[in-house]
PDB file of all heavy atoms in Angstrom:
ATOM      1  N   GLY H  54      -6.889   7.250  -8.739  1.00 93.00           N
ATOM      2  CA  GLY H  54      -5.898   7.629  -9.747  1.00 93.00           C
ATOM      3  C   GLY H  54      -4.792   6.591  -9.938  1.00 93.00           C
ATOM      4  O   GLY H  54      -4.146   6.558 -10.983  1.00 93.00           O
ATOM      5  N   TRP H  55      -4.568   5.712  -8.886  1.00 95.00           N
ATOM      6  CA  TRP H  55      -3.633   4.664  -9.091  1.00 95.00           C
ATOM      7  C   TRP H  55      -3.949   3.736 -10.259  1.00 95.00           C
ATOM      8  O   TRP H  55      -3.020   3.244 -10.956  1.00 95.00           O
ATOM      9  CB  TRP H  55      -3.546   3.765  -7.807  1.00 95.00           C
ATOM     10  CG  TRP H  55      -2.684   4.338  -6.774  1.00 95.00           C
ATOM     11  CD1 TRP H  55      -3.068   4.823  -5.532  1.00 95.00           C
ATOM     12  CD2 TRP H  55      -1.245   4.470  -6.835  1.00 95.00           C
ATOM     13  NE1 TRP H  55      -1.938   5.259  -4.844  1.00 95.00           N
ATOM     14  CE2 TRP H  55      -0.869   5.047  -5.587  1.00 95.00           C
ATOM     15  CE3 TRP H  55      -0.289   4.140  -7.762  1.00 95.00           C
ATOM     16  CZ2 TRP H  55       0.470   5.324  -5.322  1.00 95.00           C
ATOM     17  CZ3 TRP H  55       1.032   4.432  -7.467  1.00 95.00           C
ATOM     18  CH2 TRP H  55       1.411   5.026  -6.270  1.00 95.00           C
ATOM     19  N   ASP H  56      -5.184   3.505 -10.491  1.00 93.00           N
ATOM     20  CA  ASP H  56      -5.585   2.554 -11.584  1.00 93.00           C
ATOM     21  C   ASP H  56      -5.007   3.011 -12.920  1.00 93.00           C
ATOM     22  O   ASP H  56      -4.443   2.246 -13.663  1.00 93.00           O
ATOM     23  CB  ASP H  56      -7.106   2.390 -11.615  1.00 93.00           C
ATOM     24  CG  ASP H  56      -7.678   1.746 -10.413  1.00 93.00           C
ATOM     25  OD1 ASP H  56      -6.905   1.145  -9.642  1.00 93.00           O
ATOM     26  OD2 ASP H  56      -8.885   1.810 -10.211  1.00 93.00           O
ATOM     27  N   GLU H  57      -5.159   4.269 -13.249  1.00 92.00           N
ATOM     28  CA  GLU H  57      -4.591   4.804 -14.491  1.00 92.00           C
ATOM     29  C   GLU H  57      -3.089   4.855 -14.432  1.00 92.00           C
ATOM     30  O   GLU H  57      -2.394   4.446 -15.383  1.00 92.00           O
ATOM     31  CB  GLU H  57      -5.168   6.191 -14.772  1.00 92.00           C
ATOM     32  CG  GLU H  57      -4.638   6.812 -16.054  1.00 92.00           C
ATOM     33  CD  GLU H  57      -5.242   8.215 -16.292  1.00 92.00           C
ATOM     34  OE1 GLU H  57      -6.336   8.502 -15.803  1.00 92.00           O
ATOM     35  OE2 GLU H  57      -4.542   8.974 -16.937  1.00 92.00           O
ATOM     36  N   TRP H  58      -2.512   5.317 -13.330  1.00 94.00           N
ATOM     37  CA  TRP H  58      -1.076   5.488 -13.186  1.00 94.00           C
ATOM     38  C   TRP H  58      -0.363   4.143 -13.388  1.00 94.00           C
ATOM     39  O   TRP H  58       0.645   4.016 -14.067  1.00 94.00           O
ATOM     40  CB  TRP H  58      -0.699   6.147 -11.864  1.00 94.00           C
ATOM     41  CG  TRP H  58       0.710   6.649 -11.879  1.00 94.00           C
ATOM     42  CD1 TRP H  58       1.166   7.812 -12.306  1.00 94.00           C
ATOM     43  CD2 TRP H  58       1.830   5.885 -11.501  1.00 94.00           C
ATOM     44  NE1 TRP H  58       2.508   7.873 -12.196  1.00 94.00           N
ATOM     45  CE2 TRP H  58       2.966   6.683 -11.693  1.00 94.00           C
ATOM     46  CE3 TRP H  58       2.060   4.561 -11.038  1.00 94.00           C
ATOM     47  CZ2 TRP H  58       4.273   6.263 -11.421  1.00 94.00           C
ATOM     48  CZ3 TRP H  58       3.350   4.169 -10.750  1.00 94.00           C
ATOM     49  CH2 TRP H  58       4.425   5.004 -10.961  1.00 94.00           C
ATOM     50  N   LEU H  59      -0.881   3.108 -12.758  1.00 95.00           N
ATOM     51  CA  LEU H  59      -0.193   1.796 -12.759  1.00 95.00           C
ATOM     52  C   LEU H  59      -0.162   1.162 -14.130  1.00 95.00           C
ATOM     53  O   LEU H  59       0.753   0.383 -14.436  1.00 95.00           O
ATOM     54  CB  LEU H  59      -0.958   0.819 -11.836  1.00 95.00           C
ATOM     55  CG  LEU H  59      -0.717   1.028 -10.315  1.00 95.00           C
ATOM     56  CD1 LEU H  59      -1.629   0.065  -9.546  1.00 95.00           C
ATOM     57  CD2 LEU H  59       0.698   0.812  -9.901  1.00 95.00           C
ATOM     58  N   TYR H  60      -1.120   1.540 -14.977  1.00 94.00           N
ATOM     59  CA  TYR H  60      -1.188   0.865 -16.309  1.00 94.00           C
ATOM     60  C   TYR H  60      -0.849   1.814 -17.419  1.00 94.00           C
ATOM     61  O   TYR H  60      -0.738   1.380 -18.601  1.00 94.00           O
ATOM     62  CB  TYR H  60      -2.533   0.194 -16.474  1.00 94.00           C
ATOM     63  CG  TYR H  60      -2.714  -0.905 -15.513  1.00 94.00           C
ATOM     64  CD1 TYR H  60      -3.345  -0.715 -14.261  1.00 94.00           C
ATOM     65  CD2 TYR H  60      -2.162  -2.174 -15.745  1.00 94.00           C
ATOM     66  CE1 TYR H  60      -3.443  -1.771 -13.357  1.00 94.00           C
ATOM     67  CE2 TYR H  60      -2.215  -3.181 -14.823  1.00 94.00           C
ATOM     68  CZ  TYR H  60      -2.883  -2.953 -13.623  1.00 94.00           C
ATOM     69  OH  TYR H  60      -2.944  -3.993 -12.685  1.00 94.00           O
ATOM     70  N   ASP H  61      -0.698   3.110 -17.190  1.00 93.00           N
ATOM     71  CA  ASP H  61      -0.300   4.063 -18.205  1.00 93.00           C
ATOM     72  C   ASP H  61       1.049   4.645 -17.911  1.00 93.00           C
ATOM     73  O   ASP H  61       2.025   4.288 -18.518  1.00 93.00           O
ATOM     74  CB  ASP H  61      -1.358   5.162 -18.390  1.00 93.00           C
ATOM     75  CG  ASP H  61      -2.692   4.634 -18.929  1.00 93.00           C
ATOM     76  OD1 ASP H  61      -2.696   3.574 -19.574  1.00 93.00           O
ATOM     77  OD2 ASP H  61      -3.721   5.268 -18.693  1.00 93.00           O
ATOM     78  N   ASN H  62       1.134   5.514 -16.933  1.00 93.00           N
ATOM     79  CA  ASN H  62       2.344   6.178 -16.562  1.00 93.00           C
ATOM     80  C   ASN H  62       3.480   5.262 -16.220  1.00 93.00           C
ATOM     81  O   ASN H  62       4.638   5.476 -16.690  1.00 93.00           O
ATOM     82  CB  ASN H  62       2.119   7.162 -15.368  1.00 93.00           C
ATOM     83  CG  ASN H  62       1.128   8.240 -15.645  1.00 93.00           C
ATOM     84  OD1 ASN H  62      -0.022   7.933 -16.069  1.00 93.00           O
ATOM     85  ND2 ASN H  62       1.461   9.466 -15.381  1.00 93.00           N
ATOM     86  N   MET H  63       3.183   4.293 -15.419  1.00 96.00           N
ATOM     87  CA  MET H  63       4.244   3.409 -14.935  1.00 96.00           C
ATOM     88  C   MET H  63       5.012   2.710 -16.036  1.00 96.00           C
ATOM     89  O   MET H  63       6.201   2.449 -15.901  1.00 96.00           O
ATOM     90  CB  MET H  63       3.688   2.397 -13.953  1.00 96.00           C
ATOM     91  CG  MET H  63       4.720   1.470 -13.334  1.00 96.00           C
ATOM     92  SD  MET H  63       3.954   0.294 -12.218  1.00 96.00           S
ATOM     93  CE  MET H  63       4.813   0.643 -10.759  1.00 96.00           C
ATOM     94  N   ASN H  64       4.334   2.408 -17.120  1.00 93.00           N
ATOM     95  CA  ASN H  64       4.967   1.731 -18.244  1.00 93.00           C
ATOM     96  C   ASN H  64       6.079   2.525 -18.887  1.00 93.00           C
ATOM     97  O   ASN H  64       6.988   1.935 -19.529  1.00 93.00           O
ATOM     98  CB  ASN H  64       3.911   1.298 -19.247  1.00 93.00           C
ATOM     99  CG  ASN H  64       2.981   0.195 -18.693  1.00 93.00           C
ATOM    100  OD1 ASN H  64       3.386  -0.597 -17.894  1.00 93.00           O
ATOM    101  ND2 ASN H  64       1.781   0.204 -19.166  1.00 93.00           N
ATOM    102  N   SER H  65       6.013   3.815 -18.762  1.00 95.00           N
ATOM    103  CA  SER H  65       6.978   4.685 -19.475  1.00 95.00           C
ATOM    104  C   SER H  65       8.116   5.230 -18.620  1.00 95.00           C
ATOM    105  O   SER H  65       8.925   6.031 -19.064  1.00 95.00           O
ATOM    106  CB  SER H  65       6.245   5.839 -20.147  1.00 95.00           C
ATOM    107  OG  SER H  65       5.655   6.646 -19.159  1.00 95.00           O
ATOM    108  N   ILE H  66       8.219   4.811 -17.348  1.00 96.00           N
ATOM    109  CA  ILE H  66       9.289   5.306 -16.499  1.00 96.00           C
ATOM    110  C   ILE H  66      10.104   4.163 -15.936  1.00 96.00           C
ATOM    111  O   ILE H  66       9.629   3.032 -15.778  1.00 96.00           O
ATOM    112  CB  ILE H  66       8.747   6.225 -15.346  1.00 96.00           C
ATOM    113  CG1 ILE H  66       7.823   5.488 -14.438  1.00 96.00           C
ATOM    114  CG2 ILE H  66       8.096   7.449 -15.957  1.00 96.00           C
ATOM    115  CD1 ILE H  66       7.388   6.337 -13.238  1.00 96.00           C
ATOM    116  N   ASP H  67      11.365   4.457 -15.589  1.00 97.00           N
ATOM    117  CA  ASP H  67      12.265   3.465 -15.024  1.00 97.00           C
ATOM    118  C   ASP H  67      12.238   3.550 -13.500  1.00 97.00           C
ATOM    119  O   ASP H  67      12.595   4.597 -12.930  1.00 97.00           O
ATOM    120  CB  ASP H  67      13.714   3.724 -15.531  1.00 97.00           C
ATOM    121  CG  ASP H  67      14.679   2.687 -15.060  1.00 97.00           C
ATOM    122  OD1 ASP H  67      14.309   1.647 -14.534  1.00 97.00           O
ATOM    123  OD2 ASP H  67      15.900   2.958 -15.149  1.00 97.00           O
ATOM    124  N   LEU H  68      11.823   2.493 -12.880  1.00 97.00           N
ATOM    125  CA  LEU H  68      11.800   2.432 -11.448  1.00 97.00           C
ATOM    126  C   LEU H  68      12.713   1.348 -10.852  1.00 97.00           C
ATOM    127  O   LEU H  68      12.766   1.107  -9.661  1.00 97.00           O
ATOM    128  CB  LEU H  68      10.322   2.124 -10.956  1.00 97.00           C
ATOM    129  CG  LEU H  68       9.340   3.173 -11.291  1.00 97.00           C
ATOM    130  CD1 LEU H  68       7.936   2.721 -10.928  1.00 97.00           C
ATOM    131  CD2 LEU H  68       9.656   4.497 -10.589  1.00 97.00           C
TER     132      LEU H  68
END
Side-chain angles (χ1 to χ4, degrees):
W55 276 113
D56 294 343
E57 181 180 334
W58 194 89
L59 288 173
Y60 295 96
D61 293 338
N62 299 51
M63 184 181 236
N64 292 329
S65 63
I66 62 174
D67 182 16
L68 297 173

